[in-house]
Amino acid sequence: MNRLASATSPYLLQHADNPVDWWPWTPEAFEEARRRDVPVLLSVGYSACHWCQC
């Protein structure tokens, strides 16, 4: 399940259909990581129009 489908951020919505179980930056995400004793992996990116990428 991808939890980004209800995100309001255009950047996060770009990844809403990815086959990755992404979590938004929320206390629940960190609680789940602690519960499972796993690291939090952070995806840092940006969204830009064609002209801004040049």
Side-chain angles (χ1 to χ4, degrees):
M1 177 173 109
N2 193 317
R3 291 163 179 83
L4 301 183
S6 62
T8 57
S9 161
Y11 176 75
L12 294 179
L13 287 173
Q14 287 180 352
H15 303 286
D17 293 324
N18 290 172
V20 175
D21 186 16
W22 293 116
W23 287 59
W25 189 275
T26 61
E28 293 80 17
F30 292 96
E31 288 170 17
E32 179 67 7
R34 276 191 289 278
R35 184 186 72 76
R36 295 176 50 203
D37 194 28
V38 295
V40 172
L41 302 177
L42 177 65
S43 174
V44 178
Y46 74 99
S47 180
C49 70
H50 168 76
W51 299 110
C52 295
Q53 294 179 23
C54 295

